[in-house]
């Protein structure tokens, strides 16, 4: 058994130990989501296909796996799924517009040597591919915030069922503020951790700050972080309002049923 297998086994044992059945499902869902991403890439090779539409469908499938398969179908996961899809839909148009305006598609001049001798006429729309990469990269962070807010608001309502819709909404937004800072920093450090070698390469090439900022590779990654941050900020009020509306509506229906029974 090589190192990768041992790491996977250790991860599986820890996830089962901490999360039980939910942890085991979380581990299995990693392979399901990998399969979704793989087939998404496969379908994108078709020149007649729309990469953005394929990516949106893939996001729906990933959302179903990550929310319903791991945490089962309940009010929390359904509301988190709805909030995630609304946020992705709103963010979709913004990401496509930004990708077209900034022209970050294609290869940077740093990659010329690696692709020398290869044909660039592959029949794929790199603008849509670039937008699809950004969309796919934001889905995980948005789902994380959506389910965190939904779970916490349900617990708050369970212990204080007399809260109004406005109070519940404020509670959800307050929870989201704490999540916003940590998740945004997570995205930021994930970029610099993954692209530390790139930054060292820029230094060896004697790039100025202006050269780095205007590099396609650097710009595309920074746009990914900013769009993911926008998605996290946007899903907080959306998830808070949806959960507040549902919880208050459910309480009103329950009270109405109890009055009719009396």
């Amino acid at each position: 058994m090589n190192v990768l297998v041992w790491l996977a086994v250790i991860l599986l044992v820890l996830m089962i130990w901490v999360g039980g059945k939910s942890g085991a499902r979380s581990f299995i869902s990693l392979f399901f989501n990998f399969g979704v991403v793989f087939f998404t890439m496969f379908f994108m090779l078709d020149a007649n296909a729309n990469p953005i539409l394929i990516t949106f469908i893939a996001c729906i499938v990933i959302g179903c796996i990550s929310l319903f398969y791991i945490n089962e179908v309940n009010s929390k996961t359904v509301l988190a799924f709805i909030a995630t899809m609304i946020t992705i839909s709103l963010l979709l148009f913004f990401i496509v517009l930004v990708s077209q305006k900034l022209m970050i598609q294609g290869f940077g001049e740093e990659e010329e040597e690696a692709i020398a001798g290869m044909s660039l006429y592959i029949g794929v729309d790199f603008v849509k591919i670039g937008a699809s990469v950004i969309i796919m990269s934001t889905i995980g962070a948005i789902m994380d915030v959506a389910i965190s807010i939904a779970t916490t608001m349900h617990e708050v309502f369970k212990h204080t069922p007399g809260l109004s819709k406005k109070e519940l909404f404020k509670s959800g937004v307050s929870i989201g503020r704490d999540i916003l800072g940590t998740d945004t920093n997570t995205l930021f450090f994930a970029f610099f951790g993954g692209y530390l070698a790139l930054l060292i390469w820029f230094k060896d090439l004697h790039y100025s700050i202006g050269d780095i900022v205007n590099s396609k590779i650097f710009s595309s990654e920074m746009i990914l972080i900013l769009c993911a941050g926008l998605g996290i900020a946007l899903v907080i009020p959306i998830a808070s309002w949806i959960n507040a509306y549902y919880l208050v509506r459910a309480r009103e229906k329950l009270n109405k049923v109890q009055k009719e029974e009396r």
Side-chain angles (χ1 to χ4, degrees), residues 198-246:
L198 175 65
L199 297 177
I200 295 172
W201 188 22
F202 284 157
K203 179 181 177 298
D204 291 338
L205 292 173
H206 305 291
Y207 272 24
S208 65
I209 298 297
D211 292 330
I212 294 174
V213 172
N214 287 286
S215 171
K216 276 191 177 184
I217 301 175
F218 184 85
S219 299
S220 62
E221 292 301 321
M222 286 305 299
I223 290 168
L224 191 153
I225 293 173
L226 295 174
C227 288
L230 286 173
I232 294 171
L234 191 60
V235 76
I236 290 171
I238 292 174
S240 300
W241 185 87
I242 291 174
N243 281 277
Y245 176 83
Y246 169 81

Side-chain angles (χ1 to χ4, degrees), residues 10-21:
I10 293 171
L11 176 62
L12 174 61
V13 171
L14 287 175
M15 292 180 76
I16 294 175
W17 179 51
V18 175
K21 291 182 179 179

